[in-house]
Amino acid sequence: MFEGRPDRDAEVVFLGRSNVGKSTLMRELTGHDFTTGRKPGVTRSPNHFDWAPESFMFTDLPGFGFMKGVPESQREQIKTDVVRYVESNADDILAGVLVVDGKSVIDIIDRHSGPDEVPHDVEMFYFLDDIDVPAIVAVNKMDKVDDRDERLDDLCDRLGLYPPWQQWQETIAPISAKRGSIGPLKEALRTHFHDAKRDDLLKFVS
């Protein structure tokens, strides 16, 4: 179980598979460089970036799913820890940002969909919904995607949201973190902060 969570009463958590660009996105949002390893699965415990006066923090949770060279038992443990962390702190979490790779997410979801299998990304999306944490899907690396609208519509379809994706702008945020293009995510976060009556936090996503 993850230890040492700062005592903050408002939090945004970032979840996602390894190598989808969560750390780059955190750097873009906070201006703070998080040490990321060259290997997937290097982030094994949460990275918190917090502000004491506002009692607020962004938390980058360890990547889940397949990681080369990481035994399955360890991968399962990481996922369990991530789920437990979000569950135990759900009352303080204003939004859960599920970061996916826009280029490969549809293929990954389809490859892992079967009668007895729910793909991790879809499972996490429903899990956030179940515990009443507003979910935002940050669809990263969109600069590498040609059929943008079609890809985003397909993603909505896989998540059980009716296309077109444009009607889900507080949930689906196409971004390119490496290029600093994260406006749709900030916009979605502003909506959720406002809904939670936390306009004092809007400056962190302006």
Side-chain angles (χ1 to χ4, degrees):
M1 194 56 187
F2 304 138
E3 303 295 331
R5 177 185 184 268
D7 182 18
R8 301 287 177 264
D9 64 9
E11 179 176 12
V12 172
V13 294
F14 292 80
L15 320 104
R17 292 173 178 275
S18 296
N19 281 1
V20 290
K22 288 199 313 302
S23 302
T24 309
L25 177 53
M26 290 288 281
R27 185 166 63 238
E28 213 36 63
L29 273 169
T30 61
H32 185 76
D33 207 347
F34 291 87
T35 41
T36 56
R38 284 267 156 246
K39 291 196 312 237
V42 168
T43 312
R44 293 284 165 84
S45 56
N47 273 322
H48 302 288
F49 193 80
D50 64 319
W51 292 268
E54 284 83 8
S55 193
F56 169 66
M57 65 184 168
F58 286 125
T59 299
D60 180 16
L61 291 166
F64 53 76
F66 177 76
M67 290 166 251
K68 206 171 173 179
V70 178
E72 187 171 355
S73 57
Q74 200 174 343
R75 298 202 302 257
E76 280 306 313
Q77 188 54 54
I78 290 171
K79 192 175 140 214
T80 302
D81 286 346
V82 165
V83 164
R84 281 197 193 132
Y85 179 93
V86 177
E87 220 161 19
S88 359
N89 299 301
D91 290 348
D92 296 331
I93 297 177
L94 300 179
V97 179
L98 178 61
V99 186
V100 299
D101 180 332
K103 241 179 102 165
S104 60
V105 66
I106 304 297
D107 295 340
I108 289 172
I109 288 177
D110 289 352
R111 199 176 340 160
H112 293 281
S113 295
D116 314 314
E117 202 179 8
V118 179
H120 287 330
D121 302 285
V122 177
E123 189 184 7
M124 281 292 178
F125 182 73
Y126 283 123
F127 161 66
L128 291 169
D129 190 52
D130 284 347
I131 58 170
D132 289 329
V133 168
I136 300 171
V137 183
V139 193
N140 196 16
K141 308 185 186 182
M142 284 307 284
D143 52 307
K144 298 180 175 164
V145 172
D146 301 328
D147 47 350
R148 181 188 164 95
D149 287 340
E150 191 182 326
R151 184 67 55 96
L152 294 169
D153 284 350
D154 284 348
L155 179 58
C156 281
D157 186 54
R158 303 306 190 272
L159 296 173
L161 305 171
Y162 289 109
W165 74 270
Q166 286 90 340
Q167 63 186 337
W168 301 102
Q169 298 207 15
E170 74 289 353
T171 306
I172 302 287
I175 61 168
S176 172
K178 218 172 204 168
R179 297 195 165 191
S181 167
I182 60 169
L185 172 61
K186 287 181 168 180
E187 187 61 47
L189 284 168
R190 285 198 289 273
T191 301
H192 292 300
F193 289 178
H194 183 69
D195 290 350
K197 301 190 167 36
R198 290 303 304 263
D199 285 0
D200 56 314
L201 303 177
L202 292 176
K203 60 186 172 197
F204 296 118
V205 288
S206 59

